[in-house]
Amino acid sequence: MPATPAPATTPPAPAPPAAPRPLDAARDQLQAALTARHAALPEAGRALLPAPSVVPLGAADTLGTGAPDPYAAARPAATVHLTSRAVLTGPWLPEGAGPETAGACGQCLAMRWQRLRGRTEREALERRHVPHGAVGWPVLTDWAVDAVWAAYRAVHRPGRTAPEAEEPADRTLPRVTRTDLVTLATATFPLLPDPLCPACVTPRPDSADTARLTLAPAPKPDPGTYRLRSLGAYALPVAALANPVCGALGSDTWINPASTTTAPVAGTHFVRGYAGLTDVTWSGQANRTATSRRLAFLEGLERYAGTHRRRGTTPVLGSYHQLAADALDPRTCGVYAPETYANDPLVSPFDPDREIPWVRGHSLRDDRPVLVPARLAHYSAGVDADNFVFECSNGCATGSGLAEAILFGLLERVERDAFLLAWYGRARLTEIDLATLTDPEVRAMTDRAALHGYDIHVYDTRMGPPVPVVTALAVRRDGGPGTLAFAAAAGFDPAETVASALSEVLTYIPHLPYQVTERRAELNAMAADFTLVRELKDHAQLYGLPEMAHHAAPFLDPLDRLPLADAFADWDAVRPRTGDLRDDLALLTGALAGAGHDVIAVDQTTPEQARAGLSTVATAVPGLLPIDFGWTRQRALTMDRLRTGLRTAGRRRDDLPADAVHLAPHPFP
């Protein structure tokens, strides 16, 4: 609905800080200048134009982790936001905005803006550093104030319109207009309401009733299709997701024209978690830039939902012993080796008597609500009390509904489990003959890899559950830097699963030789001392060293080489071919439950995703091997399934002896 004009009076200024701060004097100057211009309007004009309310932005923390914001009370209703470089006017709505238009306040804008700042600026704001700087900055010239006033009047005048948005979903959002104080250039961006805004959202307790998942019918376009909607069908507000003023996922996306194997698109933003500010990158890898861009936004939203809970609920607090009847024991999902807890100051053993935060999930096996440690469901949301593990996005997935999201989250769990069993167990696998695939894009991908000097191999990596799991391995023919690159995928359609694994491994090929050359000394040190393998990128790049190629010997000596149809003939006989995705989910859930695993889903869906028709979940399958990064933080090495998994999958006659475990960091990217 249209914005209602505010009374034509100047809002009371917030109580000034005890000592002058950067931006305060400029804020007072701008407020006085805009108030004077507003007062000079004819009475009829003042009645139609809300009185400007100015707050500074960039000299106080607005995310609630640093020192208290002296402008907190005034910020939600503020209409002008002064930064050191620009003035932001808004949020404002185009006239005639319908009831579907989302509401957002000045606090929403401030939080979105602050999250886009660089590491140094965010640390200064959020770690209680005392701000210093030129108190009178920025310099507000008369013509700069005139430009701000002109923008302010333009966005509040009757008949105001917004610049045409690229996507229909952006057109239903509030706008923010930026006026650059140096160039006076203006630009307008859509703003998504912030689900963590304390002025807009009142947190409610997380209840068992709301956690119970009811899976609605999920009709498939055809029996062999597992994504229920096309990429283009989602109402993604792309301009609101990535823009330099208030982008929910980052300030921009970028392409990599140097990539000659796929057309990747990526973006990044900082997320504050228990390990400080983390650079979270999201990307899409496909053969077309437009497809990659939409895939990147979907992954970015998935990361956004997975890092912190943004559903307006408060966690349940209690110890495991207090909640055990309704709670998942996190030890069944794996713990680190005792020496890790003894030597790593960032982690401590799980204590069942220690109070920790929990979120509500749902057991699909038992059809009941279950409490899940918040750290396992939201991988940047830990607190000191629950630092027993560093979780990642393993098992998180997005779909057009809960059934689709859960299915793909479980497929990711199965894929990572199978990869780790093959790697640590030195399993010899059946290679799939790529020449038997009829998809021309598969042939195009292998041809592009060949032009880079790589041979591509793909393997049937199933380890119990019957659904196809594929590992892809790119091998540099001349044995130079960038020697090996791995990827994996799981899915219901064997050909699509192979194509997914190929697409991912091809993304790494063009850059891996350069990355290895650039980090050669570091990687050589890691090859000599695996405890130096600490980050995600270390795992994949380590096997770009030619001297590490011998670790992949079991992959290069396959049990057999079969056509795709023969490799997955047993799957084809049991594969569901119905019109409802819930049947496919039931098969996978039943296979996991039949092997003794619970199957748990935690709804992570954010308001931004719900508006776009998306659902995101975190899945947990206690007992399956989880992927971890950092050699000293490998839960898989302590779990029973590492010893029994190959036997129960029919790949060994006996359990894997301790001295047969392949004690080298996995190469999963």
Side-chain angles (χ1 to χ4, degrees), residues 221-252:
D222 64 70
T225 298
Y226 302 94
R227 287 294 187 184
L228 305 187
R229 299 173 66 186
S230 67
L231 282 176
Y234 294 110
L236 296 180
V238 297
L241 294 176
N243 72 68
V245 169
C246 51
L249 300 181
S251 60
D252 202 358

Side-chain angles (χ1 to χ4, degrees), residues 78-91:
T79 52
V80 179
H81 311 260
L82 174 68
T83 77
S84 62
R85 169 84 188 202
V87 173
L88 310 179
T89 303

Side-chain angles (χ1 to χ4, degrees), residues 641-667:
R641 181 162 169 78
L642 184 62
R643 326 297 172 197
T644 64
L646 293 176
R647 174 181 56 78
T648 58
R651 293 184 178 275
R652 285 184 66 97
R653 294 182 179 178
D654 57 351
D655 287 348
L656 184 70
D659 60 2
V661 175
H662 184 195
L663 291 177
H666 66 73

Side-chain angles (χ1 to χ4, degrees), residues 195-198 201-211 308-318 323 356-361 370-374 378 381 383 602-603:
L196 297 181
C197 174
V201 179
T202 301
R204 64 187 187 280
D206 201 358
S207 70
D209 290 339
T210 58
H308 289 280
R309 192 155 182 83
R310 305 176 197 270
R311 293 172 54 81
T313 58
T314 55
V316 175
L317 297 177
L323 305 170
I356 63 172
W358 305 75
V359 296
R360 302 276 184 181
V370 61
L371 288 164
V372 177
H378 294 279
V383 295
V602 177
D603 191 353

Side-chain angles (χ1 to χ4, degrees), residues 330 335-336 341 347-350 356 373 375-376 385-390:
V335 295
Y336 301 140
Y341 292 114
V347 295
S348 59
F350 176 71
I356 63 172
R375 181 170 285 240
L376 296 184
D386 67 352
N387 64 341
F388 53 87
V389 71
F390 280 85

Side-chain angles (χ1 to χ4, degrees), residues 155-188:
V155 303
H156 289 98
R157 74 178 189 275
R160 61 191 175 275
T161 59
E164 189 69 15
E166 177 183 349
E167 296 283 346
D170 286 310
R171 300 170 197 160
T172 62
L173 295 174
R175 307 298 203 280
V176 177
T177 296
R178 180 185 188 274
T179 303
D180 191 289
L181 292 175
V182 176
T183 67
L184 304 187
T186 61
T188 297

Side-chain angles (χ1 to χ4, degrees), residues 625-646:
L625 302 185
I627 202 81
D628 287 307
F629 298 97
W631 178 236
T632 61
R633 295 175 179 166
Q634 293 295 308
R635 287 173 285 173
L637 294 175
T638 71
M639 296 179 69
D640 289 342
R641 181 162 169 78
L642 184 62
R643 326 297 172 197
T644 64
L646 293 176

